[in-house]
Amino acid sequence: MGEEMGKGDDVDESVGPGAAYMQFVLMEGIIEKLKLLDYEKLFCQELGFKPFSRHYFAIPTNPGEQFYNFTSLCAWLLRLCGKNFDPPQEYDDPNATISSILLELKSLGQNVNFPPSKLKTGCGEQCIDVVNKLCDSVLVNRGFTWARPVYPEEEDDVEDNAIDDEAELDLNKVEEEMADDFDDEFGEEESLLDLNALKNQKHDSTSKPENIMVSNTTAAEWKLELERVLPQLKVTIRTDNKDWRQHVEQMHSHSEGIEKSLSETKTLLNRLHEEITKTLDKIATREKYLNGQLEHHLNEFRGMQDQLAEIKERYKQASGGVTDRTKTLAEITEDLERIKSEMEERGSSMTDGAPLVKIKQALLNIKKDITQMDIRTGVLEHHLMQAKLKDKSNNAHSSGIEVED
């Protein structure tokens, strides 16, 4: 039963516009179930809670109070189901309390399809669903069953409505019948007034009756006759929105209501105006008194404000000079760092023996090259010398042959 009525976690728009108000219907059903469990005596009076309104858990009012009432009600319902569940305290961890309630609810065979954080607000569809399922579990545990509704008989009302419908008259028909009667009276010749007969009637009417007229009908008979003809005496005039008489009557009734309300409201507004005027006068006098008492302190405060402004101006000027000096210091620091790096490079180059080794190696290579060049030069000189000697020997031999000849 609770599962059928408590499925309000995710409302589908295709269900219809009334689904948004389903939680109010469920909440009213929960109140009726709690009344069946006599919660006003067993829960409210014994534990010190106020009775809940029809839509208490459907409308958010005070989250802290609603959450505490929700957890306390769930704990009471779980105890009615036979569970050993301690009542929660105001300073307990809400997550632990919600987890305990959901575990006990699952142990009763009730499933929930929403995260536990939805119950922290203490109101809404999820809270209503949990309370509804717990109420159903308690009623099932007690063996409670819903009986078929008994509808009262409405035969008398049907007869009265039929008589009222027959007795209704239309305003237009009434006016037409009255107009027809008026035309008939003045249209026929027999209905002309007879002045002499009228004078005789006036003269006869002045005569007093000889005896007092006494009715023999009892009060019970009058009541019976009244009950018999009462349905026929009812005249129900259907309102016509185009009838100007009705509009005039409404205007007069509204005008009277406005005048009555205006007179009552005017007195209240005058009283309120007087109270506000007195309060404003009191405030003005108190303000003047406070200004007079605090004038010395106000002058001191103004002087301190002026001094503060001067000090701020000096600080601004000093901070401007400090900024310039800070920039200069930064530039000098950069130059110093650059010079230090250059000095370190030079010092490292002076103390490093690698360049010297390279120079020595280069000198050795140069000496080797010089030696090889000297050897090559000697070889060339030797070849030149041999060539010259050979040429001289050839020249001498050729000259000797010539002499002999």
Side-chain angles (χ1 to χ4, degrees), residues 352-365:
D352 192 7
L356 184 60
V357 173
K358 289 180 180 179
I359 291 170
K360 288 181 180 181
Q361 189 69 30
L363 289 173
L364 291 174
N365 293 329

PDB file of all heavy atoms in Angstrom, residues 352-365:
ATOM      1  N   ASP A 352      92.407  27.074 -14.283  1.00  0.00           N
ATOM      2  CA  ASP A 352      92.235  25.842 -15.028  1.00  0.00           C
ATOM      3  C   ASP A 352      93.505  25.555 -15.843  1.00  0.00           C
ATOM      4  O   ASP A 352      94.034  26.439 -16.531  1.00  0.00           O
ATOM      5  CB  ASP A 352      91.024  25.961 -15.944  1.00  0.00           C
ATOM      6  CG  ASP A 352      90.641  24.608 -16.520  1.00  0.00           C
ATOM      7  OD1 ASP A 352      91.246  23.611 -16.095  1.00  0.00           O
ATOM      8  OD2 ASP A 352      89.726  24.577 -17.371  1.00  0.00           O
ATOM      9  N   GLY A 353      94.092  24.332 -15.798  1.00  0.00           N
ATOM     10  CA  GLY A 353      95.315  23.969 -16.525  1.00  0.00           C
ATOM     11  C   GLY A 353      95.057  23.395 -17.890  1.00  0.00           C
ATOM     12  O   GLY A 353      96.015  23.080 -18.616  1.00  0.00           O
ATOM     13  N   ALA A 354      93.871  23.235 -18.267  1.00  0.00           N
ATOM     14  CA  ALA A 354      93.557  22.664 -19.570  1.00  0.00           C
ATOM     15  C   ALA A 354      94.077  23.516 -20.719  1.00  0.00           C
ATOM     16  O   ALA A 354      94.679  22.984 -21.678  1.00  0.00           O
ATOM     17  CB  ALA A 354      92.051  22.445 -19.690  1.00  0.00           C
ATOM     18  N   PRO A 355      93.916  24.851 -20.691  1.00  0.00           N
ATOM     19  CA  PRO A 355      94.475  25.655 -21.798  1.00  0.00           C
ATOM     20  C   PRO A 355      95.993  25.506 -21.910  1.00  0.00           C
ATOM     21  O   PRO A 355      96.557  25.470 -23.020  1.00  0.00           O
ATOM     22  CB  PRO A 355      94.057  27.077 -21.441  1.00  0.00           C
ATOM     23  CG  PRO A 355      92.861  26.909 -20.584  1.00  0.00           C
ATOM     24  CD  PRO A 355      93.108  25.674 -19.808  1.00  0.00           C
ATOM     25  N   LEU A 356      96.681  25.447 -20.755  1.00  0.00           N
ATOM     26  CA  LEU A 356      98.144  25.296 -20.783  1.00  0.00           C
ATOM     27  C   LEU A 356      98.556  23.965 -21.407  1.00  0.00           C
ATOM     28  O   LEU A 356      99.503  23.903 -22.213  1.00  0.00           O
ATOM     29  CB  LEU A 356      98.679  25.397 -19.351  1.00  0.00           C
ATOM     30  CG  LEU A 356     100.204  25.350 -19.197  1.00  0.00           C
ATOM     31  CD1 LEU A 356     100.866  26.510 -19.952  1.00  0.00           C
ATOM     32  CD2 LEU A 356     100.590  25.400 -17.709  1.00  0.00           C
ATOM     33  N   VAL A 357      97.835  22.908 -21.044  1.00  0.00           N
ATOM     34  CA  VAL A 357      98.130  21.604 -21.635  1.00  0.00           C
ATOM     35  C   VAL A 357      97.920  21.641 -23.137  1.00  0.00           C
ATOM     36  O   VAL A 357      98.697  21.070 -23.925  1.00  0.00           O
ATOM     37  CB  VAL A 357      97.259  20.524 -20.966  1.00  0.00           C
ATOM     38  CG1 VAL A 357      97.429  19.188 -21.692  1.00  0.00           C
ATOM     39  CG2 VAL A 357      97.603  20.369 -19.504  1.00  0.00           C
ATOM     40  N   LYS A 358      96.848  22.325 -23.540  1.00  0.00           N
ATOM     41  CA  LYS A 358      96.571  22.441 -24.972  1.00  0.00           C
ATOM     42  C   LYS A 358      97.704  23.197 -25.672  1.00  0.00           C
ATOM     43  O   LYS A 358      98.121  22.840 -26.799  1.00  0.00           O
ATOM     44  CB  LYS A 358      95.239  23.153 -25.184  1.00  0.00           C
ATOM     45  CG  LYS A 358      94.037  22.305 -24.790  1.00  0.00           C
ATOM     46  CD  LYS A 358      92.759  23.084 -25.033  1.00  0.00           C
ATOM     47  CE  LYS A 358      91.536  22.244 -24.629  1.00  0.00           C
ATOM     48  NZ  LYS A 358      90.263  22.991 -24.830  1.00  0.00           N
ATOM     49  N   ILE A 359      98.210  24.260 -25.016  1.00  0.00           N
ATOM     50  CA  ILE A 359      99.303  25.043 -25.623  1.00  0.00           C
ATOM     51  C   ILE A 359     100.559  24.166 -25.770  1.00  0.00           C
ATOM     52  O   ILE A 359     101.241  24.183 -26.812  1.00  0.00           O
ATOM     53  CB  ILE A 359      99.585  26.277 -24.774  1.00  0.00           C
ATOM     54  CG1 ILE A 359      98.397  27.266 -24.887  1.00  0.00           C
ATOM     55  CG2 ILE A 359     100.868  26.975 -25.230  1.00  0.00           C
ATOM     56  CD1 ILE A 359      98.463  28.410 -23.906  1.00  0.00           C
ATOM     57  N   LYS A 360     100.882  23.415 -24.712  1.00  0.00           N
ATOM     58  CA  LYS A 360     102.058  22.532 -24.773  1.00  0.00           C
ATOM     59  C   LYS A 360     101.900  21.495 -25.876  1.00  0.00           C
ATOM     60  O   LYS A 360     102.857  21.201 -26.627  1.00  0.00           O
ATOM     61  CB  LYS A 360     102.252  21.845 -23.435  1.00  0.00           C
ATOM     62  CG  LYS A 360     102.757  22.790 -22.349  1.00  0.00           C
ATOM     63  CD  LYS A 360     102.942  22.011 -21.031  1.00  0.00           C
ATOM     64  CE  LYS A 360     103.458  22.938 -19.926  1.00  0.00           C
ATOM     65  NZ  LYS A 360     103.666  22.221 -18.653  1.00  0.00           N
ATOM     66  N   GLN A 361     100.709  20.923 -25.950  1.00  0.00           N
ATOM     67  CA  GLN A 361     100.461  19.948 -26.999  1.00  0.00           C
ATOM     68  C   GLN A 361     100.625  20.590 -28.368  1.00  0.00           C
ATOM     69  O   GLN A 361     101.193  19.982 -29.295  1.00  0.00           O
ATOM     70  CB  GLN A 361      99.042  19.372 -26.832  1.00  0.00           C
ATOM     71  CG  GLN A 361      98.749  18.199 -27.737  1.00  0.00           C
ATOM     72  CD  GLN A 361      99.544  16.964 -27.344  1.00  0.00           C
ATOM     73  OE1 GLN A 361      99.865  16.782 -26.154  1.00  0.00           O
ATOM     74  NE2 GLN A 361      99.870  16.131 -28.302  1.00  0.00           N
ATOM     75  N   ALA A 362     100.149  21.828 -28.521  1.00  0.00           N
ATOM     76  CA  ALA A 362     100.290  22.532 -29.792  1.00  0.00           C
ATOM     77  C   ALA A 362     101.763  22.795 -30.106  1.00  0.00           C
ATOM     78  O   ALA A 362     102.202  22.683 -31.270  1.00  0.00           O
ATOM     79  CB  ALA A 362      99.500  23.833 -29.746  1.00  0.00           C
ATOM     80  N   LEU A 363     102.542  23.170 -29.076  1.00  0.00           N
ATOM     81  CA  LEU A 363     103.985  23.402 -29.292  1.00  0.00           C
ATOM     82  C   LEU A 363     104.670  22.119 -29.742  1.00  0.00           C
ATOM     83  O   LEU A 363     105.541  22.130 -30.645  1.00  0.00           O
ATOM     84  CB  LEU A 363     104.619  23.923 -28.011  1.00  0.00           C
ATOM     85  CG  LEU A 363     104.240  25.371 -27.624  1.00  0.00           C
ATOM     86  CD1 LEU A 363     104.808  25.713 -26.242  1.00  0.00           C
ATOM     87  CD2 LEU A 363     104.762  26.359 -28.666  1.00  0.00           C
ATOM     88  N   LEU A 364     104.323  21.008 -29.106  1.00  0.00           N
ATOM     89  CA  LEU A 364     104.917  19.729 -29.519  1.00  0.00           C
ATOM     90  C   LEU A 364     104.566  19.413 -30.956  1.00  0.00           C
ATOM     91  O   LEU A 364     105.427  18.939 -31.735  1.00  0.00           O
ATOM     92  CB  LEU A 364     104.439  18.605 -28.592  1.00  0.00           C
ATOM     93  CG  LEU A 364     104.963  18.651 -27.144  1.00  0.00           C
ATOM     94  CD1 LEU A 364     104.274  17.545 -26.308  1.00  0.00           C
ATOM     95  CD2 LEU A 364     106.477  18.456 -27.101  1.00  0.00           C
ATOM     96  N   ASN A 365     103.305  19.641 -31.314  1.00  0.00           N
ATOM     97  CA  ASN A 365     102.909  19.393 -32.699  1.00  0.00           C
ATOM     98  C   ASN A 365     103.671  20.293 -33.659  1.00  0.00           C
ATOM     99  O   ASN A 365     104.079  19.874 -34.754  1.00  0.00           O
ATOM    100  CB  ASN A 365     101.402  19.600 -32.856  1.00  0.00           C
ATOM    101  CG  ASN A 365     100.605  18.555 -32.092  1.00  0.00           C
ATOM    102  OD1 ASN A 365     101.065  17.412 -31.934  1.00  0.00           O
ATOM    103  ND2 ASN A 365      99.409  18.929 -31.631  1.00  0.00           N
TER     104      ASN A 365
END
